[in-house]
Amino acid sequence: MTEEKTNTANALPDIMSMTREELKEFVVSIGEKGFRAEQLFRWMHKGAPYEEMTNLSAAFIQKLKECAQYRLPIIEQKLVSREDGTIKYLMSLVDGECVESVFMRYEHGNTLCISSQAGCRMGCKFCASTLNGRVRNLTPSEILGQVSAATHDTGERVDGIVMMGIGEPLDNYDNVIRFLHLVSDEKGLGIGLRHISLSTCGVVPGIYALAKEGLPVTLSVSLHASRDDVRSELMPINRKYPIAELLAACRHYFNETGRRVSFEYTLIEGKNDGEADAVSLAKVMKNGMRCPCHVNLIMLNEVKETGLRSAGRRNAMRFAEVLKKNGVNATIRRKLGGDIEASCGQLRLRAKGGPQKGETEDC
Ligand code: SAH
């Protein structure tokens, strides 16, 4: 592990990053009965401030205030779509860094899109989150805190999670794994791992490591191109881990977990949206994957700074048709919250003063 700038503003133990067992030990160490840990665990995960923890004694809460760090992300901005009720949050962390989360209502339940880092160092050319590099990793409690804050704010259950907000989850591996254990604990939010998608730009060693964890999360891979020259231009990570290596890792993930891998493919005008690109993608999927997978076509959210344009809707439909004709399962992702800049990274970018300058990955 490299030393990095992290949440050091308060050096007290971060109790919301603790597992239930660790929390129990901590609670006992400050002189409280062990079973109180479970109550505290539940309250924190539901996003309750201390004042709402009505079954805990005032003396215990006072002790927690003195000996522990418990700080939920603060909702700085909340945009509600008039079209479909999608909510976009800008939340601030203890050091003033901001992240974004998006609450979406689907027929099958509520899904929250969350961030894993403040900024991103992967440098994908079309993405707003990476324009200023990565400032720091989020702690497990800061990742979980987004789910807790949204649960508390909406009063609704989050049924599923997509790690498709700001940051590269596999570039913050340990904290993300701990978060997955916490958020799925049935004494807390109890969100099923099968209802969690982890999206990666293609950090191959992280995919192999994840396959070993025994966590049945859905792996979602941002592919965006079927040829190495195009992918390397759009996504610098491809210079380190080219497509063939990436697909081998995805196949391994499927073989180990039995979970179908899904691929994101954002259609960018003149870059990857032609008929030949669709035929080439179908070939790569069939010959390279050779196991169940699914392609999600995404309309590019135009980020002014990148100069890239979205392919038209008609082009997207044609692209999907060609994939299907060539035997590849594909859908065009429905866009929610179109009126509130619901795609990630843009609010943070425009937040007061803008984000700090962060590091970039050398690929
Ligand atoms: N770092 C992870 C997760 C965050 S991005 C990853 O790369 O997968 C979540 C998804 O949004 C990725 O598929 C990403 O490529 C895509 N994305 C980023 N910027 C976009 C934009 N401007 N328009 C459409 N999709 C975008």
Side-chain angles (χ1 to χ4, degrees):
M1 283 290 281
T2 49
E3 183 134 350
E4 63 185 43
K5 203 169 145 208
T6 187
N7 187 349
T8 49
N10 184 343
L12 294 171
D14 170 12
I15 49 177
M16 201 173 164
S17 284
M18 292 181 184
T19 62
R20 229 176 334 128
E21 295 69 34
E22 290 166 348
L23 189 63
K24 188 169 169 192
E25 238 173 73
F26 174 77
V27 159
V28 170
S29 79
I30 61 167
E32 189 58 53
K33 296 233 168 53
F35 77 93
R36 295 286 178 203
E38 215 161 88
Q39 294 170 325
L40 175 61
F41 186 85
R42 196 173 169 77
W43 282 122
M44 290 192 296
H45 288 217
K46 297 250 157 153
Y50 280 133
E51 310 83 80
E52 286 178 22
M53 300 184 183
T54 45
N55 56 0
L56 301 180
S57 73
F60 178 35
I61 285 176
Q62 186 53 37
K63 207 169 256 163
L64 287 171
K65 285 182 182 167
E66 287 160 17
C67 309
Q69 179 190 167
Y70 170 48
R71 187 190 182 278
L72 291 157
I74 293 171
I75 297 173
E76 299 286 347
Q77 272 188 54
K78 177 179 173 182
L79 305 177
V80 184
S81 164
R82 264 184 245 147
E83 292 170 7
D84 50 45
T86 296
I87 306 171
K88 174 139 194 183
Y89 295 104
L90 182 72
M91 301 193 193
S92 69
L93 308 173
V94 66
D95 58 355
E97 261 306 314
C98 284
V99 291
E100 295 173 32
S101 318
V102 185
F103 185 91
M104 296 163 285
R105 294 186 174 86
Y106 290 101
E107 261 163 39
H108 57 266
N110 299 325
T111 296
L112 190 71
C113 174
I114 58 171
S115 301
S116 56
Q117 297 179 312
C120 181
R121 58 177 181 156
M122 295 299 154
C124 298
K125 292 290 177 292
F126 42 82
C127 181
S129 305
T130 198
L131 284 173
N132 286 297
R134 180 190 74 170
V135 176
R136 68 172 176 86
N137 281 331
L138 301 195
T139 60
S141 63
E142 288 172 333
I143 306 174
L144 176 64
Q146 297 165 62
V147 190
S148 309
T151 301
H152 192 263
D153 181 63
T154 58
E156 290 178 46
R157 186 180 153 76
V158 171
D159 302 290
I161 292 173
V162 291
M163 303 198 80
M164 293 187 181
I166 296 167
E168 166 51 49
L170 296 182
D171 188 38
N172 182 15
Y173 189 85
D174 293 344
N175 290 349
V176 164
I177 296 297
R178 179 173 272 265
F179 156 74
L180 292 172
H181 286 289
L182 293 173
V183 80
S184 57
D185 188 316
E186 80 280 3
K187 299 284 182 172
L189 292 170
I191 300 175
L193 292 165
R194 288 171 187 280
H195 302 291
I196 300 180
S197 289
L198 186 150
S199 183
T200 179
C201 63
V203 181
V204 163
I207 297 176
Y208 283 105
L210 187 65
K212 264 203 213 130
E213 301 282 348
L215 302 170
V217 296
T218 299
L219 180 66
S220 192
V221 172
S222 302
L223 193 62
H224 306 321
S226 55
R227 280 184 12 218
D228 278 321
D229 57 337
V230 180
R231 192 165 192 271
S232 293
E233 186 198 324
L234 292 174
M235 306 176 74
I237 187 85
N238 196 68
R239 295 177 206 146
K240 227 180 196 167
Y241 308 113
I243 295 172
E245 278 180 39
L246 175 58
L247 296 186
C250 294
R251 237 181 4 253
H252 175 80
Y253 190 82
F254 172 76
N255 291 335
E256 288 294 300
T257 63
R259 307 285 297 154
R260 184 179 79 162
V261 176
S262 80
F263 291 91
E264 320 292 315
Y265 192 102
T266 296
L267 291 158
I268 307 171
E269 188 183 73
K271 295 278 180 200
N272 64 1
D273 64 335
E275 186 162 339
D277 295 304
V279 172
S280 152
L281 176 61
K283 266 200 199 125
V284 164
M285 285 288 108
K286 285 201 332 214
N287 306 337
M289 273 307 281
R290 304 192 302 275
C291 62
C293 60
H294 183 90
V295 174
N296 265 317
L297 297 173
I298 307 172
M299 304 307 295
L300 179 77
N301 253 299
E302 293 177 2
V303 176
K304 189 173 84 248
E305 289 83 346
T306 69
L308 296 169
R309 305 283 312 257
S310 172
R313 192 91 201 157
R314 211 179 306 145
N315 235 7
M317 312 244 284
R318 209 177 305 139
F319 200 95
E321 272 314 305
V322 176
L323 287 181
K324 278 182 205 157
K325 239 194 277 159
N326 285 277
V328 172
N329 223 322
T331 42
I332 303 177
R333 181 178 292 163
R334 191 158 67 95
K335 188 173 173 179
L336 292 179
D339 54 333
I340 55 165
E341 274 203 309
S343 75
C344 259
Q346 308 203 33
L347 267 191
R348 176 175 182 268
L349 202 60
R350 314 210 191 298
K352 228 178 4 187
Q356 301 170 45
K357 196 89 186 143
E359 333 139 50
T360 47
E361 166 79 327
D362 211 6
C363 288

